[in-house]
Amino acid sequence: MGDLNWAMPAIDGVFWAQLGQIMLINLILSGDNAVIIALAVNKLEPVQKKWGIILGSGLAVVLRIILTGFAVVLLTIPFLKVVGGILILWIAVKLFAEGHEENVEAAGSLKAAVWTILVADLVMSIDNVLAVAGAANGGMVLIIIGLVTSIPIVIFGSTLLSALMQKFPIIITIGAMILGKVGGEMIITDSWVHNKFHPSKYVDWGFQIFFALAVVAVGKLWMKRSSGHKAEGSEG
């Protein structure tokens, strides 16, 4: 990827081809973001849920535009993706446990939901923004257009997932497993881990599957422990 530039590109066939490629990348990569948003707003009231999705999607795109200028540098920092992966795994466990509880005060805050979305998007978008910047050949105008056009995709996807989670709680588990996979992938593809251990693709897949399952297992232990504390509190 070349240096980032703010020059207005010529509106020609190359422009439309690059924009189409960026939108396709966003469509493919927006799935994880839609999952995290849907999980984060799952327990909000309907009006708050609507604003959580809109604010979370919009602010996440703004954050991604800012990140684009630093993506190449960020990817070279040792252990950055390890730390990010661990953070995503923690968020996945937390949202899994909260999503399966009947009354969750912490998840009822719009501010808390938007904050969760931003933190998760921050660590998950490092690879994504590099892919978009590469497709735009470093053109910031194209990058911004491509990212802004992804907002409706994320809003629609997260709205649909959030509605389905209310009817089919199994989707909460699937969503948490997807985030577990993302966390495991971030750890195993960290520059230091990759250069030190040179993991094969089978180790890579195994790592992702392990953490997808581990998120559910730890989440259930979290729920069991939480319900035990609540029972002790009610008895006291």
Side-chain angles (χ1 to χ4, degrees):
M1 184 184 72
D3 295 332
L4 297 174
N5 67 80
W6 289 88
M8 184 65 192
I11 310 300
D12 53 17
V14 175
F15 170 86
W16 293 111
Q18 288 180 326
L19 181 59
Q21 187 177 359
I22 291 170
M23 293 181 69
L24 180 60
I25 290 172
N26 279 326
L27 180 62
I28 295 170
L29 298 180
S30 291
D32 295 341
N33 302 94
V35 168
I36 194 71
I37 292 172
L39 284 170
V41 304
N42 185 43
K43 292 294 183 177
L44 295 178
E45 295 296 324
V47 175
Q48 285 191 320
K49 181 178 293 186
K50 176 183 176 181
W51 279 109
I53 291 173
I54 293 173
L55 290 173
S57 302
L59 291 175
V61 167
V62 172
L63 182 65
R64 211 177 298 180
I65 291 172
I66 296 172
L67 267 180
T68 300
F70 305 96
V72 177
V73 176
L74 289 173
L75 284 174
T76 63
I77 300 176
F79 300 112
L80 179 66
K81 292 179 71 175
V82 171
V83 174
I86 293 171
L87 183 57
I88 287 296
L89 292 172
W90 179 80
I91 289 174
V93 171
K94 179 174 178 289
L95 293 179
F96 171 84
E98 290 179 348
H100 285 88
E101 289 181 2
E102 303 239 337
N103 298 300
V104 185
E105 295 180 3
S109 165
L110 175 61
K111 181 180 178 180
V114 172
W115 178 249
T116 298
I117 293 166
L118 287 180
V119 171
D121 195 80
L122 173 66
V123 295
M124 289 196 304
S125 294
I126 298 174
D127 286 338
N128 297 12
V129 294
L130 188 63
V132 171
N137 197 27
M140 281 301 296
V141 174
L142 263 172
I143 291 168
I144 292 173
I145 293 174
L147 288 172
V148 169
T149 54
S150 72
I151 295 178
I153 298 172
V154 177
I155 290 177
F156 173 77
S158 51
T159 302
L160 178 61
L161 280 173
S162 180
L164 290 174
M165 284 176 184
Q166 300 299 315
K167 296 183 178 180
F168 308 102
I170 186 65
I171 297 178
I172 297 173
T173 301
I174 295 172
M177 291 178 70
I178 290 173
L179 294 182
K181 173 189 174 296
V182 171
E185 183 179 17
M186 288 187 69
I187 295 172
I188 199 67
T189 58
D190 179 82
S191 58
W192 184 88
V193 173
H194 190 270
N195 293 332
K196 183 72 174 177
F197 300 103
H198 304 288
S200 67
K201 62 180 180 180
Y202 300 107
V203 172
D204 191 339
W205 293 342
F207 213 72
Q208 295 178 45
I209 293 171
F210 171 79
F211 280 108
L213 298 174
V215 161
V216 175
V218 175
K220 288 184 176 180
L221 287 174
W222 181 331
M223 291 168 59
K224 185 176 181 180
R225 184 176 180 183
S226 177
S227 61
H229 286 322
K230 288 179 181 179
E232 290 177 4
S234 62
E235 290 175 3

